[in-house]
């Protein structure tokens, strides 16, 4: 597993956890930052995970508006929390991280959704993120 894939997983954990606990991403990021200092062997994946979470936090309203514009009336609060977090990560990478090709952002999110969420989640995540990439 690549360090960026591990970083996306760590970012997913933070974003998903904050969503479930109804906590701000800023608060969840600060808590994870403290935890990260206790595990220096995981430092390789932390820098990009932090960048993802901070980026999603900084652009959350914009990301959510773009996501809802591409879900054909499927509101964010009806999505499984894992799907919502993965789509936010993928949308941030597509719209705000030029270092990651759109296809990579989409493929990583789809793979994670297929492993971690419902049977339909991979296709749903693919459709939403592909539409966002086409519309940029």
């Amino acid at each position: 597993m690549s360090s960026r894939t591990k970083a996306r997983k760590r970012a997913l954990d933070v974003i998903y956890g904050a969503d479930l606990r109804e906590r701000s991403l800023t608060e969840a990021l600060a808590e994870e930052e403290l935890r990260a200092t206790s595990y220096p062997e995981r430092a390789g994946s932390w820098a990009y995970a932090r960048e993802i979470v901070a980026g999603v936090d900084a652009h959350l309203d914009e990301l959510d508006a773009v996501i809802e514009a591409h879900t054909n009336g499927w509101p964010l609060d009806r999505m499984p929390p894992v799907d919502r977090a993965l789509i936010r990560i993928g949308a941030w990478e597509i719209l705000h991280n030029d270092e990651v090709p759109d296809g990579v952002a989409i493929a990583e999110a789809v793979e994670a959704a297929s492993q971690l969420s419902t049977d339909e989640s991979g296709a749903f995540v693919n459709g939403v993120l592909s539409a966002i990439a086409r519309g940029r």
Side-chain angles (χ1 to χ4, degrees):
M1 182 182 302
S2 78
S3 64
R4 284 226 167 161
T5 299
K6 289 177 187 176
R8 287 181 187 94
K9 171 72 170 85
R10 287 183 78 177
L12 173 63
D13 291 345
V14 174
I15 295 168
Y16 172 77
D19 193 12
L20 286 184
R21 293 181 188 100
E22 297 179 355
R23 300 174 68 206
S24 73
L25 285 175
T26 303
E27 185 180 356
L29 183 59
E31 183 178 293
E32 186 61 24
E33 185 82 49
L34 286 173
R35 188 178 1 264
T37 60
S38 301
Y39 298 97
E41 67 277 5
R42 295 173 58 195
S45 65
W46 177 239
Y48 189 56
R50 180 180 1 154
E51 183 180 349
I52 292 169
V53 176
V56 169
D57 188 27
H59 299 281
L60 188 60
D61 291 339
E62 171 208 354
L63 294 172
D64 286 354
V66 169
I67 292 164
E68 285 196 329
H70 291 88
T71 57
N72 299 321
W74 192 265
L76 282 164
D77 64 351
R78 288 198 57 212
M79 291 179 199
V82 171
D83 295 2
R84 184 169 47 241
L86 288 167
I87 292 170
R88 284 172 171 161
I89 291 167
W92 175 80
E93 285 188 314
I94 290 166
L95 298 172
H96 295 285
N97 188 347
D98 294 333
E99 294 177 13
V100 176
D102 294 353
V104 171
I106 294 167
E108 290 275 341
V110 168
E111 178 67 23
S114 297
Q115 292 177 356
L116 302 171
S117 197
T118 70
D119 291 341
E120 297 82 24
S121 291
F124 178 70
V125 168
N126 183 55
V128 173
L129 291 178
S130 294
I132 291 170
R134 282 191 306 272
R136 42 183 291 193

